[in-house]
């Protein structure tokens, strides 16, 4: 089977699972809800990040989407059928990752635009406004960042062959460990995948990584996880 039919097959799997659709829908819902709450207290601080504050929570849904898309193959034994149809495991894994990344990116763009609208509506007429160039950077960066985190989760799930295992590592890391490390050593925290990637959502930033450099750091983390996942898929029996 060539790549295009393999991608179509993987997309059918994703769109027919309620858990997958629910995880995708939760990305904008969680992001916009928490961004709107953050906008209520926004003054002259970082107006851009205030609008995208909810990404901290919306990314959990994106990660859940990436993990469940891959873990379903191992839980149900569908991987054997998938590899029977696509014997080249690298091609199958690439199709799976593409079927994960494209919808997350599309949802990420919608999420970014909606979060900006909600943030502007709740911050009040006298709140500080970021210039249009920053809104554009934040919206695009939001979509790219969410996509990278979903793919990182997918790669880690392939390594562990367990969605629960991947979530038990990523969720505590993002919600607890990253903040603790950031409080202890801001320089080191700037190279963590979430901290580096979210720089693109800020008007100002401290440390070495800039907005696009930060996303590049996150992309390196994602590439490492995907490469490890691809190797695991190649060497392990279905």
């Amino acid at each position: 089977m060539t790549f295009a039919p393999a991608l179509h097959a993987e997309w059918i799997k994703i769109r027919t699972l309620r858990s997958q659709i629910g995880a995708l829908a939760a990305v904008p819902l969680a992001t916009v809800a928490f961004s709107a709450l953050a906008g209520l207290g926004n003054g002259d601080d970082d107006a851009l990040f205030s609008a995208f504050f909810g990404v901290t929570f919306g990314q959990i849904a994106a990660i859940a989407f990436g993990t469940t898309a891959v873990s379903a193959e191992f839980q149900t034994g569908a991987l054997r059928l998938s590899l029977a149809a696509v014997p080249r495991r690298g091609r199958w894994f690439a199709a799976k990752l593409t079927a994960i990344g494209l919808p997350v990116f599309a949802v990420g763009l919608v999420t970014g635009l909606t979060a900006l609208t909600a943030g502007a509506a709740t911050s009040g007429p006298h709140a500080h406004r970021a210039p249009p160039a920053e809104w554009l950077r934040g919206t695009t960066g939001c979509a790219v960042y969410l996509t990278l985190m979903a793919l990182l989760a997918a790669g880690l799930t392939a390594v562990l062959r367990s969605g629960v295992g991947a979530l038990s590592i990523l969720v505590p890391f993002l919600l607890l460990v990253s903040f603790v490390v950031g409080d202890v050593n801001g320089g080191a925290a700037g190279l963590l995948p979430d901290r580096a990637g979210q720089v693109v959502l800020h008007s100002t930033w401290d440390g070495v990584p800039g907005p696009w450099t930060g996303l590049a750091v996150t992309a390196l983390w994602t590439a490492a996880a995907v490469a490890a996942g691809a190797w695991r898929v190649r060497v392990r029996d279905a």
Side-chain angles (χ1 to χ4, degrees):
M1 184 183 293
T2 60
F3 181 79
L7 174 60
H8 181 66
E10 294 305 320
W11 171 239
I12 291 176
K13 293 179 188 177
I14 287 175
R15 67 182 177 85
T16 53
L17 288 175
R18 292 183 180 179
S19 59
Q20 294 291 92
I21 301 301
L24 270 182
V27 173
L29 291 176
T31 301
V32 173
F34 283 99
S35 293
L37 291 175
L40 293 174
N42 181 51
D44 294 327
D45 297 328
D46 192 333
L48 186 65
F49 185 67
S50 177
F52 289 108
F53 176 79
V55 170
T56 302
F57 303 93
Q59 68 179 336
I60 303 300
I63 287 170
F65 176 77
T67 57
T68 54
V70 177
S71 64
E73 298 283 345
F74 303 111
Q75 291 174 351
T76 63
L79 183 58
R80 294 185 183 88
L81 296 176
S82 298
L83 295 180
V86 190
R88 293 191 176 183
R89 298 188 177 201
R91 179 179 296 172
W92 168 79
F93 195 53
K96 173 68 77 174
L97 294 176
T98 304
I100 293 171
L102 289 179
V104 173
F105 183 79
V107 170
L109 288 175
V110 174
T111 298
L113 291 172
T114 309
L116 285 175
T117 303
T122 58
S123 59
H126 302 295
H128 172 70
R129 306 290 184 186
E134 290 188 1
W135 294 131
L136 178 61
R137 168 167 59 82
T139 301
T140 305
C142 174
V144 174
Y145 172 73
L146 290 173
T147 302
L148 289 174
M149 294 305 289
L151 293 177
L152 187 153
L156 182 60
T157 303
V159 173
L160 300 177
R161 300 174 69 92
S162 169
V164 174
L167 288 173
S168 66
I169 292 174
L170 289 174
V171 173
F173 175 82
L174 293 173
L175 297 182
L176 296 174
V177 177
S178 180
F179 289 99
V180 173
V181 174
D183 292 337
V184 173
N185 190 333
L191 298 177
L192 295 176
D194 59 322
R195 288 294 187 97
Q198 289 188 26
V199 171
V200 76
L201 306 178
H202 288 264
S203 296
T204 59
W205 54 88
D206 298 322
V208 176
W212 304 115
T213 304
L215 277 179
V217 171
T218 304
L220 288 176
W221 283 91
T222 299
V226 167
W231 172 81
R232 184 73 163 174
V233 168
R234 285 179 181 273
V235 301
R236 284 294 300 270
D237 293 335

